Amino acid sequence: MRSLADWLRWQETLHPSAIDLGLERMHRTLQRLQWRQPSCPVITVAGTNGKGSTVALTSQILRAAGYRVGTFTSPHLIRYNERIVIDGREASDESLVAAFERIDAARGSDTLTFFEFNTLAALLVFETERVDAMVLEVGLGGRLDSVNAVDADVAIVTSIALDHCDWLGSDVESIGREKAGIFRAGKPAIFGSRDMPASIDAVAGDLGTPLYRLGRDFNWRPEGEGWFWRGRHSSYSKLPRPALHGELQFDNAAAVLCAMECLSSQLPITREAIETGLQKVTLPGRFQVVRRREPADVEWILDVAHNPAAAQALAGQLASRPSSGRTIAVCGILGDKDIEGIATTLRDSFDAWVIVGLQSARSVPVDDLASRLANTGARIAKTAATVAEGCEVAQTMASAGDRIVVFGSFLTVGPALEWLQARS
């Protein structure tokens, strides 16, 4: 039997393109597997930024209410198993290998992509585990993403901004139309940001999808040390703040509570479950704060921000959390991202930048990345071939009271988190 690592290496070479959007291969393989749409409620989450936070909040609240939840996210930070979680536990190597064997036997002549194997494995594992609810994060876009082979009982679109423009379109209306592809006729859809492209409303209207929009159909406001949420039929006063950092987490949490209201007849929850979920939710790599006392008292912040909108949110969070010392960036960005847009947004947030190389076919040479960032006005101090080397360099540069911010990609934050864990 092949190990999980062997399966993953093979999957990366099977299909000629790493990204090949479309549902035909998924539908054919699912049909051969004799898979049926889930009998439990499905919440599908798409959007440019905020998907991970929304999935984590949804999962944690449902689990606090006593439900057995299957959660599918991507990409992972350290271990592939992070992508498929049942009731808070990562799927075992054995369950993943068993799913891969079934998929390989059923795919026929179809050469599935790495992400298609990933999505299919999640569906098979959740089916075997008999979960009470599924929370599925879209990988890229929505309409043609493999997750969209599953019919959502509630669809959440968190936000729309420019990202993945080569595949989704060069403007927010085109991107919104692709992400709204997860909507289903007669099933509620939720938009979780204040600014909504008209294409979202148009898709919902064409399908006959009830659309609930932040600021119109549900809303939130600060209330003392907590916050107030209003839905269509219910409201909650003096809720605890979400444990995740950033004001945008209130938008995400408000959208999740709207989804819970939409599913209340299938998955009833209590106020206690909501409070517990808000307070216990965690999400590595999203403004994750780690303090290291040795060799110097330095705060590390890890954030996967990889587009200008996410960079703007990161800049705001750093500004709201001032540091007594210098702020040093450890930055690695893939070549298909808006490198200049990200750097311009964050240029004034850092006193010095350490630029790192990433292990990906989509990466650019580290010296080229440093040059492009320097052209935006970023103060480049050092370059490093790998993230781990960059973390070492940043640590030697830092003094007590300084902070180090690692950002730019999951491929930047994952190795940095692993580096920090090895030294904790």
Side-chain angles (χ1 to χ4, degrees):
M1 178 186 291
R2 281 185 281 189
S3 68
L4 177 59
D6 290 337
W7 272 104
L8 298 179
R9 280 192 294 269
W10 174 74
Q11 288 170 24
E12 288 177 337
T13 65
L14 178 62
H15 196 73
S17 303
I19 299 174
D20 188 4
L21 299 178
L23 296 176
E24 296 83 2
R25 294 180 300 276
M26 283 289 296
H27 286 315
R28 286 193 294 265
T29 305
L30 287 169
Q31 187 173 25
R32 295 186 195 108
L33 286 164
Q34 298 184 326
W35 180 85
R36 298 291 180 265
Q37 291 289 337
S39 57
C40 68
V42 175
I43 301 120
T44 300
V45 181
T48 304
N49 296 308
K51 295 195 300 290
S53 301
T54 300
V55 167
L57 284 160
T58 304
S59 239
Q60 193 67 56
I61 289 171
L62 287 173
R63 288 185 58 218
Y67 297 110
R68 185 172 171 81
V69 184
T71 307
F72 175 55
T73 59
S74 66
H76 61 276
L77 286 171
I78 298 175
R79 284 167 43 86
Y80 179 90
N81 310 57
E82 298 167 22
R83 297 172 178 235
I84 301 173
V85 173
I86 307 96
D87 207 24
R89 300 187 312 278
E90 295 177 5
S92 67
D93 287 10
E94 293 76 17
S95 66
L96 293 171
V97 167
F100 290 153
E101 289 174 344
R102 288 181 60 192
I103 296 161
D104 190 33
R107 67 181 177 84
S109 60
D110 283 317
T111 56
L112 302 172
T113 66
F114 185 88
F115 190 71
E116 286 168 340
F117 257 100
N118 192 189
T119 308
L120 289 163
L123 298 179
L124 294 183
V125 169
F126 295 158
E127 184 179 58
T128 300
E129 293 286 343
R130 299 181 181 275
V131 296
D132 299 317
M134 295 185 191
V135 186
L136 309 178
E137 179 186 352
V138 167
L140 178 58
R143 181 175 65 93
L144 298 175
D145 186 87
S146 60
V147 167
N148 203 33
V150 187
D151 293 333
D153 292 284
V154 174
I156 303 175
V157 176
T158 58
S159 64
I160 302 295
L162 297 180
D163 197 10
H164 299 299
C165 295
D166 291 344
W167 292 282
L168 304 181
S170 58
D171 58 83
V172 293
E173 294 296 340
S174 300
I175 294 170
R177 191 172 296 107
E178 288 299 313
K179 293 185 185 293
I182 66 171
F183 295 176
R184 294 294 189 270
K187 299 291 186 178
I190 297 162
F191 189 77
S193 297
R194 304 283 174 180
D195 299 320
M196 187 180 79
S199 58
I200 299 282
D201 199 33
V203 171
D206 290 344
L207 284 173
T209 298
L211 178 62
Y212 306 116
R213 179 178 176 181
L214 177 63
R216 185 189 69 184
D217 306 291
F218 65 98
N219 211 345
W220 70 272
R221 66 171 185 267
E223 188 178 56
E225 294 299 313
W227 59 297
F228 171 84
W229 177 84
R230 170 191 61 80
R232 294 175 300 124
H233 308 299
S234 57
S235 63
Y236 293 102
S237 182
K238 297 182 180 178
L239 288 170
R241 297 172 64 90
L244 304 177
H245 290 283
E247 290 300 302
L248 287 175
Q249 297 301 344
F250 289 100
D251 288 356
N252 295 331
V256 170
L257 293 187
C258 184
M260 297 296 96
E261 186 178 63
C262 290
L263 289 170
S264 59
S265 63
Q266 299 164 275
L267 297 170
I269 59 170
T270 63
R271 179 191 174 96
E272 182 183 10
I274 292 171
E275 291 186 352
T276 300
L278 290 171
Q279 292 172 309
K280 288 191 173 182
V281 65
T282 60
L283 188 62
R286 278 69 157 192
F287 209 82
Q288 180 181 358
V289 179
V290 179
R291 182 167 290 280
R292 292 198 71 208
R293 303 293 183 183
E294 299 293 340
D297 188 2
V298 173
E299 181 179 79
W300 289 72
I301 296 173
L302 301 99
D303 195 284
V304 297
H306 57 268
N307 56 55
Q312 185 64 53
L314 174 57
Q317 288 172 297
L318 291 172
S320 68
R321 187 186 177 92
S323 170
S324 60
R326 294 191 307 160
T327 300
I328 301 166
V330 176
C331 173
I333 307 173
L334 292 171
D336 56 1
K337 298 298 182 180
D338 183 358
I339 292 171
E340 286 75 15
I342 295 168
T344 300
T345 301
L346 283 162
R347 177 181 56 210
D348 298 327
S349 298
F350 302 115
D351 300 294
W353 295 59
V354 178
I355 310 305
V356 299
L358 301 181
Q359 309 306 306
S360 169
R362 296 154 56 202
S363 63
V364 296
V366 66
D367 290 337
D368 291 352
L369 177 59
S371 176
R372 291 174 64 177
L373 293 172
N375 287 339
T376 70
R379 294 178 283 273
I380 310 301
K382 299 282 181 64
T383 62
T386 67
V387 174
E389 291 175 20
C391 290
E392 294 279 3
V393 168
Q395 181 175 260
T396 61
M397 292 170 57
S399 303
D402 290 347
R403 64 180 174 184
I404 298 169
V405 181
V406 183
F407 78 97
S409 172
F410 280 84
L411 295 175
T412 313
V413 170
L417 184 58
E418 200 166 15
W419 183 87
L420 284 167
Q421 288 177 350
R423 287 154 181 79
S424 64

